[in-house]
Amino acid sequence: MEAWRRALADLRVGESKYKTLVLAIAGDIEQGRLSDGQRLPPQRHVADGLGISVQTVTNAYKELERQGLVRCEVGRGSFVTRRMTEGMAHYMVDHPERALVDFSIASIVHTREHDRLWQDSCRELAQESDQPWMRACRPVAGFDTHRDAGVKWLAQLGLKRERDDVLITNGAAHGIFLALASLAGPDDVVLCEQLTDHGVIGNSQVLGFTLKGVEIDKQGIDPEHFEDLCANERITALVCTPNLNNPTSCLMPDTRRREIAAIAQRYGVYVIEDDVYGPLLGERRPPPLSHYLPDLSFYCTSFTKSVLTGLRIGYLAMPRRLALRTESILRVNSWMGTPLLAEVAARWIHNGNAAALIGLQRRVLEKRQGLVREYLGEHLRGCDPHSLSAWIGIPEHWELDSLVRELRHRHIAVTPPDPFMVRGTPRPRAVRLCMGAECSDERMASALEDMRELFGQYPKIHDF
């Protein structure tokens, strides 16, 4: 607390003590003097040590929590937590390392067929004299031809919508942000799975709403806990991934979807459905949750996690009464989805390229998921033959962070559960293993064998 004391000692007349304390603590976090997960001193201890009121310290801790630098847990204390963008940079590899087998990023398995189809499309587009997708900057919702292709794509996924109900977005994450911005602000409570995509957690920090986790089981959201929250609080929306949840790979059955939809309908809770992985399920895919909630649902999907990583085009289906509001948010947020990529996506929907690449991806994933089952089958806690990831439990004799570090020393990168944990969620003893590592199947098998061998060992006495 010495730096905090010096900051307050240098306080000028008229300057706020609590704001000065916020800046001092934030500085220690940013500089690494306070590490991620470290418990801050109790508020009474800080107040006595710095000679200020407890209320001043309370206000400072609350502001740090609002900024995403601290999480406050009732009965346990206040803990340092990186902002989501920093946390993800810490857990996931931004720059490829030659010797590394990178299981940390949820992306498709890229093949030569992906390169060939993209190059063919680029040549085709370059030879056309009329290129409106390179000149026009409206309509904001997207060209009619692109939205019509989106309607066709949604129908293939089991959701029937009209053109006016669909916006072109720059991927599913963009669509989820637009949906949340249309519904939620600082006074709202939004629910999601206890383990959810890190983007949802980041959105709560940007938009300021309160995010709470709903308990989950092997079939997804627990209906009883969901209804209990809806009955006792004013809930604005539920964000969920019924198809191959990230990170657990859970697939919600149709009976559970109907149950969740009935509860949402009963309490007037909007559902924002992230179906970015749904295309990978093929004929195994249950009807979308949004199918049962046409007036209370936003449905988001894209090409990124099933067709081509860089083809960041998504389709957002909206409730009719919120269409104008959501489109206006799109206008100020990014003006419109990128027309060039939307043109490629539309052509691939119509000429079958998208379906062909999804079929290819399903076959590749089946093979890689088979390798995971072969080498780590006894440790699997969540997997699917067509999922981009697997949820791997760790042996009792290993401490989670030590295991992740030791894997990294062996040139294997995985993702611990921290980026996916909503505040208050117990930390699972599991890591996410993604199938899209840019390596041969043989190299992947070798890395999985190394993991199995490490799981069977006992850790070092000292882990530095």
Side-chain angles (χ1 to χ4, degrees):
M1 289 193 298
E2 186 57 38
W4 308 354
R5 186 178 291 106
R6 289 197 302 270
L8 290 170
D10 294 337
L11 198 66
R12 297 178 181 177
V13 176
E15 290 182 335
S16 167
K17 290 182 180 179
Y18 112 85
K19 289 184 178 179
T20 300
L21 182 58
V22 167
L23 291 174
I25 298 175
D28 280 355
I29 293 173
E30 300 287 357
Q31 296 300 317
R33 289 187 289 270
L34 290 171
S35 59
D36 187 35
Q38 183 175 340
R39 187 175 185 270
L40 293 179
Q43 296 175 21
R44 170 65 67 181
H45 180 68
V46 174
D48 292 344
L50 299 180
I52 57 179
S53 70
V54 174
Q55 188 60 51
T56 297
V57 181
T58 299
N59 291 341
Y61 277 29
K62 285 182 177 179
E63 175 60 19
L64 290 164
E65 184 177 30
R66 189 192 69 78
Q67 294 180 19
L69 293 171
V70 164
R71 69 176 188 276
C72 300
E73 298 182 13
V74 177
R76 295 192 64 226
S78 301
F79 300 85
V80 174
T81 178
R82 289 182 178 87
R83 289 191 182 93
M84 184 49 54
T85 52
E86 295 165 345
M88 294 312 296
H90 175 73
Y91 292 121
M92 297 183 181
V93 180
D94 284 338
H95 303 289
E97 301 172 18
R98 182 170 298 177
L100 184 73
V101 178
D102 185 7
F103 294 128
S104 72
I105 302 295
S107 62
I108 65 169
V109 183
H110 197 88
T111 71
R112 291 181 179 179
E113 184 66 5
H114 291 85
D115 291 334
R116 185 184 71 80
L117 291 179
W118 174 249
Q119 291 163 4
D120 288 348
S121 291
C122 288
R123 281 192 292 269
E124 179 182 310
L125 291 169
Q127 292 169 2
E128 297 185 14
S129 56
D130 184 21
Q131 299 184 344
W133 54 86
M134 292 302 293
R135 297 195 304 271
C137 59
R138 54 178 61 85
V140 170
F143 292 179
D144 285 351
T145 54
H146 297 166
R147 296 171 80 186
D148 288 339
V151 169
K152 180 177 180 180
W153 179 257
L154 296 178
Q156 293 171 356
L157 297 175
L159 190 70
K160 294 183 179 180
R161 289 292 187 269
E162 302 296 326
R163 177 200 296 167
D164 290 344
D165 302 329
V166 176
L167 292 181
I168 305 298
T169 66
N170 292 314
H174 185 207
I176 291 168
F177 175 83
L178 295 175
L180 284 167
S182 300
L183 295 172
D187 297 327
D188 292 292
V189 177
V190 174
L191 304 179
C192 66
E193 295 105 333
Q194 280 186 325
L195 295 172
T196 189
D197 185 89
H198 57 86
V200 177
I201 302 172
N203 280 330
S204 71
Q205 296 173 1
V206 171
L207 296 172
F209 57 79
T210 299
L211 186 66
K212 294 189 176 182
V214 186
E215 293 173 4
I216 56 176
D217 58 25
K218 291 185 177 180
Q219 294 188 337
I221 290 172
D222 176 20
E224 186 174 340
H225 190 218
F226 177 44
E227 181 152 27
D228 182 61
L229 289 168
C230 291
N232 291 286
E233 298 188 51
R234 186 177 64 83
I235 305 300
T236 298
L238 166 71
V239 186
C240 62
T241 309
N243 289 330
L244 306 179
N245 165 271
N246 181 25
T248 66
S249 292
C250 168
L251 175 60
M252 185 185 290
D254 184 51
T255 51
R256 179 69 63 89
R257 296 174 193 234
R258 292 173 184 266
E259 217 174 340
I260 297 298
I263 296 168
Q265 187 77 58
R266 188 154 56 247
Y267 292 96
V269 174
Y270 283 92
V271 170
I272 301 172
E273 182 175 6
D274 179 358
D275 197 22
V276 70
Y277 304 107
L280 294 170
L281 289 170
E283 298 302 318
R284 300 172 48 229
R285 181 177 51 248
L289 183 56
S290 299
H291 170 73
Y292 302 111
L293 288 167
D295 299 322
L296 277 176
S297 65
F298 287 83
Y299 177 87
C300 315
T301 187
S302 81
F303 276 33
T304 309
K305 302 296 187 183
S306 59
V307 179
L308 183 64
T309 303
L311 194 50
R312 299 198 63 82
I313 280 296
Y315 304 106
L316 173 64
M318 314 161 287
R320 180 65 59 89
R321 65 175 173 269
L322 289 173
L324 291 178
R325 174 176 175 79
T326 308
E327 183 178 336
S328 69
I329 294 172
L330 170 62
R331 178 183 289 107
V332 299
N333 173 259
S334 62
W335 190 259
M336 67 186 302
T338 308
L340 173 60
L341 296 184
E343 177 68 18
V344 175
R347 294 185 183 204
W348 283 16
I349 290 171
H350 293 308
N351 66 19
N353 282 353
L357 288 177
I358 290 171
L360 171 61
Q361 192 65 206
R362 284 165 51 82
R363 294 190 295 274
V364 173
L365 289 172
E366 285 174 3
K367 185 174 183 180
R368 289 200 165 190
Q369 287 284 1
L371 292 173
V372 174
R373 288 193 299 274
E374 177 182 348
Y375 288 98
L376 297 174
E378 65 180 292
H379 302 288
L380 282 176
R381 292 177 56 177
C383 67
D384 185 277
H386 302 113
S387 176
L388 293 185
S389 63
W391 191 228
I392 310 294
I394 70 168
E396 288 297 326
H397 54 270
W398 273 101
E399 191 273 328
L400 181 59
D401 293 329
S402 296
L403 179 64
V404 172
R405 284 194 294 271
E406 185 60 35
L407 285 170
R408 208 43 206 281
H409 291 157
R410 298 181 180 217
H411 306 293
I412 299 170
V414 298
T415 308
D418 304 71
F420 314 106
M421 293 167 53
V422 180
R423 181 181 303 151
T425 300
R427 194 186 193 206
R429 289 179 50 80
V431 296
R432 188 188 68 175
L433 192 74
C434 295
M435 301 299 104
E438 293 188 6
C439 64
S440 66
D441 291 345
E442 291 74 21
R443 180 71 182 93
M444 179 175 179
S446 176
L448 293 172
E449 187 174 22
D450 287 347
M451 288 184 66
R452 181 175 63 183
E453 187 268 339
L454 181 63
F455 278 23
Q457 292 188 20
Y458 277 76
K460 302 172 185 175
I461 298 296
H462 298 289
D463 178 30
F464 299 105

